[in-house]
Amino acid sequence: MLADEWAVAREGSPRAVLVEGEPGIGKTALVERFLASVDVAVLRASGDESETGVALGVADQLLRHAGRRTDAGGHVEAGSLLLDVLGTLQPAVVVVDDTQWADAESLRALLFTVRRLVHDAVLVVLVVRAGETARLPDGLRKTARGVLLEPLTADDVGELAHGTGVVLSARGARRLREHSAGNPLHARALLREVPPGAWGDPYTTLPAPHSFAEVVTAQLRSLPEGARGLVEAAAVLGLRAPLGLVARVAAVDAPFDALDVPVAEHLLELGGEAEVRFVHPLIRAAVYQDLAPGRRARLHTAAAAAIGDEEGALRHRVAAEPGPDEPLAADLESYAARCGAARQWRPAVWALEAAAKLSANRASREHRVLGAIEAAMYAGDSPRARALATTTDGFAPGPALDNALAYVALGTGHGEEAERRLRRAWSALTGEEGADRVLAARVAERTAFLAVLRLRAQDAIDWAERAIALEASPGPAAGWLMLGLYWSGRRDEARALAARSEGVLVSHRATILLADDEPQAAQATVGGPAGGSLVVAARLHATRSRAALAAGSWDDAAVLAARAHAFALESDELAAQAPAYLAAVSVAALRGDFDAADRLSVPEAVFENHVADVQLGRAELAAARGAHEDVVEALAQLPHAGAAGDRRGRTASGPSPSGGGHAGARTRR
């Protein structure tokens, strides 16, 4: 960036560069890093808002920095003196920070100088705030090359956090990026002030940095009463909301008039269709955290009455409620049940967590926490499920607790714990009169899932059949039965079951078709929603990618593999990572993009099924490289279906739940 411009200027082609960006985005840091990398004379100055009326103030700073004093009568004389100085100092770099606050005479003097640099080894760097370049003379803007600093990406924020000793998940990095708007200054302040665990918790209200909040609070308290009420109501409603809704919550009769001052103060802005937006997410955070508890509760209550959607109204009711409220908790649980029926698991997690906190008795609270754990696992949100699981110490023992914690253990690779808890839950349920059939079906289905992960074909069949016998309608157990039948050699039964599959189960049908060397049929089969689960979404897209690759649609395969990988990173769950890796490495290997393949992190494979995906990926990559011994080594480490429980199955070159099938790779060779 600046180094490239300097390389040209040093050869006698002077350059002027305009470095533009939001406050705190890193403009000064960029310039300082550049200056540290070059050994040249440097003239420095900076504008100041209080000195914009001091004629030639910035020009005087530059000349004094060079050891020259001036009583220049105007910008021409000042520019000529600066030109003489640079003639004796070059190679040289001129830096003006906060150029938007430089006085007009100094800016004209700089323009005079820049226009007359011909064969001089000089680089002029003007640092200016985004949106303030209009303060500069037209000639200076046209002459200077623009460098616009963009906000940090989520990956950048993750690296920034790591450099400060905080390790963020992909979700945490995205949350910090959104809250700070990618501003490194604000991101660093938040990393210092916010506990690390808060970034992975989507339900924690994030604050603004103290120094930032103080500035916003001072602005807020200087506003007229109506304007302040409008800003406070907007903060309760979120980052953006229709002006009419904000006005109703704030009880303001003339909202456009009340909006004038907050807009002028750069707190709010008015967008299309009369939508009010906060200029920066941290402004909203600062306003919200400054609200007195009573005022905040009243605004949330007003918002709950005014807002149209059910989830939004429930969120405001929860925010306005200080203690146990069983009717509200029951409403939340009912809402969560409807979300679960629609496979919208993320709002179900929130609703059940909120219901648990508002529960009037221990039994209800524990029941709702366990429901939230299961919903989090269905959503593919293992980190949230693990966090909730840590709160279950002291819960009443029983099959419901064992079933929920076994699910968490499955998602985190703790197979022995999962099996122990599932067996204990099943024993308790089958040993009591009038046992909960729904809970028993879940225990059986999860035991079948564990058998699939361990490649125990007959166990998968037995437990899946138990689950289906208990269920009102076939659920995930049908998929595990399908795979168990195929692995154990009962191919026709598996295909007949696959032909009747719907929804997310079509992923297993495509897996079987891939293993039977029917990639076009597999590609045509795969479709349908992911059901609100990140893990299911990752597996579906991985299967879609493998089917597209086997059918020769390489571009489609690459896009689908990238999506599978993104879902897997978001979920942070083992069941998603291995199939996503297999899909991504297969595309990279067959395209000969070995750099991309090497950049993929190999997931930690715990269960035999995941080991199979990883080893198949390694084998495909080695084959593409012509490393035949490595192919043999990778395939030799493939586990066998049945190897961990019975020996009646075929090898893992058959399908896995992820959609990775060795047969699909075989047809392309």
Side-chain angles (χ1 to χ4, degrees), residues 230-258:
L230 201 71
V231 176
E232 291 174 341
V236 163
L237 288 166
L239 285 175
R240 58 186 64 209
L243 178 58
L245 176 61
V246 177
R248 287 197 298 276
V249 173
V252 171
D253 294 328
F256 283 107
D257 292 339

Side-chain angles (χ1 to χ4, degrees), residues 153-166 168 173 191:
T153 65
D155 288 341
D156 295 333
V157 167
E159 292 182 17
L160 177 67
H162 185 73
T164 65
V166 177
L168 295 179
L191 286 166

Side-chain angles (χ1 to χ4, degrees), residues 167-181:
V167 178
L168 295 179
S169 65
R171 179 181 304 168
R174 281 196 301 277
R175 194 160 187 240
L176 174 54
R177 193 268 170 207
E178 290 169 3
H179 192 58
S180 65

